[in-house]
Amino acid sequence: MSLEARMHKSMIGRRVLSTIFYFAIDAAAPLHAEVPPGPKWLQTAVFYQVYPQSYFDSNGDGVGDLPGITAKLDYIRSIGCNAIWINPIYESPFGDAGYDVADFYQVAARYGTNDDLKNLCAQAHKRGLHVCLDLVAGHTSVENKWFQQSALEQINPYSNWYIWTPPEEKVPGSQLFPGEQHRRERYLPNFFPFQPALNYGYARPDPKKPWQRPVTDPACVAVREELRNVMKFWLDLGADGFRVDMAASLIRNDPDHETISALWHYYRAWLDQHYPDAVFISEWSDPAVAIPAGFHIDSLLQFREPYQILLGSEARLDGDAREPHAFFERAGGGDIRAFLDEYLRHYARTKDRGYIAIPTGNHDTPRPTWGRNEQDVRTIFAMLLTMPGVPFIYYGDEIGMKFLPEVPNKEGGTLRGNFGEVRRCGSRTPMQWSKEKNAGFSTAPAETLYLPLDPTESRPDVATEENDPASLLNFTRALLKLRRERAALANAADFRPLYAEKNGYPFVYLRQAGSERIVVCINPAGRPCAAALEEVGQAKPLLVQDAAFREGRFEMGPVSFGIFEVER
Ligand code: NOJ
């Protein structure tokens, strides 16, 4: 069957299924979770995101590396995580921290060798950890040999692997690639100008613009197949799947997401057939679309609404408030109902097919500690690690590392646009392991580290927190232990909001599996509050911070949470 026919067929299937989901699920009713399809390990997966250049430097050159990650697998396991996602590790000029790939088949020398990755995967597997790589599917570096060939004036097999636009059309964003032997057309970038977009084709090419090629164009088909070769290469080496960078960006002029969905269906069918234990995780932030398109997991992220309503956007702080207001702020001006309206829409459409992730943070957004103290962060973790879906913990968040907006811009860390300035490097500083030199990250001279360390004396570190039963690290471990041990908290166990008032606090929800029922109450506001719930008879505290159940009411202190086992 041709790809076009397959795309059409998969779209029909998707429409029928999503219609059924909409009618079958009422947000107020108990939502019984079928375990979603996909590998069994996802049912209990908890991810840890590693930014490789900042994790652990095993050879003293100031930059973290793959043997460094391997050396820390036992630590990652000890937190309660059983899967890792590593940011791009491929050969790159590092204009965008490795999201500008020069060679998709080669580990960058600064991180080690392909054999080091093979060894990392083998060592991870021995410990029950899965390893996902970052698949930069939408673009390459201008230094990639595919692009170098494509840019040549002389026609060659790579000429249309990128989107070249006639100079006289002045297509917005198009870039000139200077050089005597280079073509005069301008290429379209996908993110930074030095990241030319790979040409997967246009869903609806404009017949008046012949440079907009259909997805069936031989060059677009070649690009599509090459991406599959890249995936195969790393899966054969031991990887367990991919976090797909800008997963929605591959197809252009595709307003209904039909063609991009069909493309991911195509890859997913291949994955299911040849690597049924492997997974796709999308950077899309639209689970209702991404999961039916074929992803196992999609994350709610800082650049879209449900996440922003919950945790805030790019951390514009005003005293205790975030601008715009977020549910997780002491000022208590957030609206959990607005979050739920969005969340439940995504959940209803995806819960039988895949998982929603709400990460603690990532390499693009300020850390949760930004403008918050540890008590605040605990309330965030109490929610994120008891919600359905797959949790993702960003390295260092588990010890309360700070967001450091003052660190210098490095490798494309600072973004400037009409949204203002986003200083991503503040969340990319070296992991703090101990009180030793360079916080135990590296033996290199401090001035040669990838990025400067948090300079404050009180900076948190793993060794100190290991020895403190009350530390954030041990709290994170306790939460994940509870999640592991309680079926009602498993990734696909039922979820139902019990108390969620517009502009009100607390937020109370039920998790359930069989007869086991767990109620979670979250109050990030700096004032006490309470919720009376007739349907709860007895509630036994499992893990609480200033919260109690008395005479049918959950009574919450300022900035508090409670996780209770309930009898009815
Ligand atoms: C999303 C990645 O998370 C970000 O770090 C990167 O700069 C862009 N995609 C471009 O690849």
Side-chain angles (χ1 to χ4, degrees):
M1 199 191 294
S2 73
L3 176 65
E4 264 180 338
R6 263 200 305 266
M7 285 184 166
H8 184 66
K9 189 163 169 255
S10 65
M11 282 318 302
I12 295 173
R14 192 161 74 87
R15 279 211 202 102
V16 171
L17 278 173
S18 44
T19 312
I20 294 169
F21 285 161
Y22 264 132
F23 285 104
I25 290 161
D26 166 10
L31 302 175
H32 176 70
E34 295 271 318
V35 172
K40 192 159 185 280
W41 63 269
L42 280 185
Q43 294 171 24
T44 51
V46 177
F47 271 81
Y48 187 78
Q49 182 191 340
V50 178
Y51 187 70
Q53 46 273 63
S54 292
Y55 203 55
F56 183 59
D57 170 18
S58 74
N59 62 357
D61 64 359
V63 181
D65 47 46
L66 294 178
I69 300 172
T70 308
K72 298 297 184 183
L73 292 175
D74 286 331
Y75 166 71
I76 295 172
R77 198 76 181 94
S78 82
I79 305 168
C81 297
N82 51 18
I84 59 177
W85 150 35
I86 313 175
N87 288 100
I89 47 159
Y90 319 103
E91 204 49 81
S92 164
F94 293 102
D96 182 14
Y99 283 95
D100 44 337
V101 178
D103 184 345
F104 279 94
Y105 295 97
Q106 187 61 53
V107 163
R110 76 183 197 185
Y111 296 137
T113 62
N114 288 12
D115 274 346
D116 287 330
L117 183 73
K118 194 171 174 181
N119 183 47
L120 189 164
C121 293
Q123 291 299 324
H125 295 158
K126 266 194 202 161
R127 291 162 173 81
L129 282 155
H130 290 86
V131 180
C132 290
L133 303 180
D134 213 311
L135 186 69
V136 190
H139 49 269
T140 68
S141 158
V142 286
E143 291 186 19
N144 192 298
K145 69 169 193 285
W146 306 337
F147 183 77
Q148 297 277 330
Q149 289 288 313
S150 190
L152 293 176
E153 217 157 22
Q154 205 178 16
I155 300 289
N156 66 69
Y158 296 93
S159 293
N160 293 318
W161 276 40
Y162 296 82
I163 308 167
W164 294 96
T165 68
E168 61 282 2
E169 276 191 39
K170 297 205 175 76
V171 178
S174 62
Q175 305 285 325
L176 186 66
F177 192 56
E180 289 248 306
Q181 72 286 35
H182 292 152
R183 54 207 283 183
R184 297 293 110 213
E185 294 132 288
R186 298 167 71 92
Y187 66 90
L188 291 186
N190 213 26
F191 196 69
F192 285 120
F194 53 79
Q195 289 164 315
L198 280 162
N199 192 2
Y200 293 85
Y202 279 69
R204 300 179 193 175
D206 180 344
K208 288 194 234 83
K209 297 182 173 163
W211 52 269
Q212 296 188 357
R213 290 166 187 271
V215 294
T216 47
D217 183 280
C220 305
V221 171
V223 168
R224 185 189 82 207
E225 293 308 298
E226 187 62 29
L227 186 73
R228 207 173 55 159
N229 293 340
V230 169
M231 293 192 226
K232 179 172 172 10
F233 181 81
W234 296 109
L235 291 167
D236 288 344
L237 200 103
D240 300 293
F242 303 97
R243 174 269 192 184
V244 181
D245 185 64
M246 296 175 68
S249 73
L250 274 48
I251 305 281
R252 302 209 164 207
N253 200 5
D254 183 26
D256 302 329
H257 313 293
E258 294 204 2
T259 310
I260 184 73
S261 299
L263 178 64
W264 282 110
H265 267 266
Y266 171 73
Y267 288 133
R268 172 70 184 266
W270 166 79
L271 194 79
D272 284 350
Q273 189 183 350
H274 299 281
Y275 302 91
D277 257 351
V279 299
F280 285 152
I281 306 157
S282 45
E283 188 205 23
W284 196 317
S285 202
D286 194 356
V289 176
I291 289 172
F295 284 92
H296 296 86
I297 306 173
D298 185 42
S299 302
L300 301 184
L301 293 171
Q302 69 282 357
F303 52 80
R304 288 190 89 132
E305 263 222 323
Y307 183 97
Q308 295 173 352
I309 298 169
L310 192 68
L311 287 148
S313 47
E314 299 302 343
R316 275 178 283 278
L317 298 174
D318 177 13
D320 280 348
R322 301 197 159 233
E323 194 48 56
H325 284 294
F327 177 66
F328 279 102
E329 61 167 34
R330 275 186 181 241
D335 185 0
I336 196 64
R337 198 61 248 173
F339 167 77
L340 280 176
D341 286 347
E342 279 288 296
Y343 181 84
L344 288 175
R345 179 176 68 81
H346 288 291
Y347 183 67
R349 290 198 60 183
T350 60
K351 69 183 197 61
D352 295 335
R353 320 178 80 171
Y355 301 87
I356 299 173
I358 316 177
T360 63
N362 65 39
H363 60 292
D364 292 331
T365 191
R367 289 184 181 274
T369 45
W370 178 234
R372 298 186 175 104
N373 68 20
E374 199 181 302
Q375 200 184 346
D376 300 322
V377 173
R378 285 172 192 242
T379 61
I380 294 177
F381 284 15
M383 176 170 162
L384 299 190
L385 303 184
T386 58
M387 284 288 280
V390 176
F392 276 66
I393 296 175
Y394 182 52
Y395 87 94
D397 281 352
E398 77 279 13
I399 57 168
M401 276 176 60
K402 299 283 174 288
F403 173 63
L404 303 167
E406 302 311 326
V407 299
N409 182 16
K410 173 111 178 188
E411 299 187 349
T414 300
L415 300 177
R416 291 181 190 92
N418 46 15
F419 44 80
E421 194 180 72
V422 179
R423 296 172 157 246
R424 303 186 293 178
C425 290
S427 300
R428 299 177 175 186
T429 57
M431 178 69 175
Q432 295 150 203
W433 292 103
S434 67
K435 299 232 175 294
E436 285 161 28
K437 179 181 170 185
N438 295 329
F441 162 68
S442 169
T443 55
E447 59 286 2
T448 65
L449 299 187
Y450 173 73
L451 277 171
L453 277 152
D454 177 350
T456 54
E457 221 173 272
S458 61
R459 70 180 173 218
D461 66 76
V462 172
T464 307
E465 295 202 19
E466 289 276 9
N467 294 323
D468 175 5
S471 66
L472 184 63
L473 173 60
N474 283 319
F475 171 71
T476 308
R477 285 175 170 153
L479 272 172
L480 289 179
K481 183 163 181 282
L482 200 60
R483 187 176 181 99
R484 237 182 356 261
E485 289 174 351
R486 297 297 182 138
L489 293 177
N491 295 355
D494 289 350
F495 165 76
R496 179 157 66 94
L498 296 179
Y499 184 92
E501 295 294 301
K502 188 168 167 49
N503 296 116
Y505 288 69
F507 172 35
V508 185
Y509 53 92
L510 176 73
R511 301 292 319 276
Q512 180 170 357
S515 60
E516 188 178 73
R517 290 155 64 88
I518 290 180
V519 167
V520 182
C521 309
I522 306 284
N523 177 30
R527 53 176 188 263
C529 58
L533 293 173
E534 273 175 17
E535 61 183 288
V536 177
Q538 298 282 327
K540 180 178 131 205
L542 297 174
L543 197 58
V544 296
Q545 170 178 289
D546 199 9
F549 182 74
R550 285 186 207 99
E551 293 161 20
R553 274 162 55 98
F554 289 100
E555 295 182 355
M556 313 291 297
V559 191
S560 60
F561 70 83
I563 305 170
F564 300 89
E565 182 166 16
V566 299
E567 273 184 7
R568 86 177 150 75

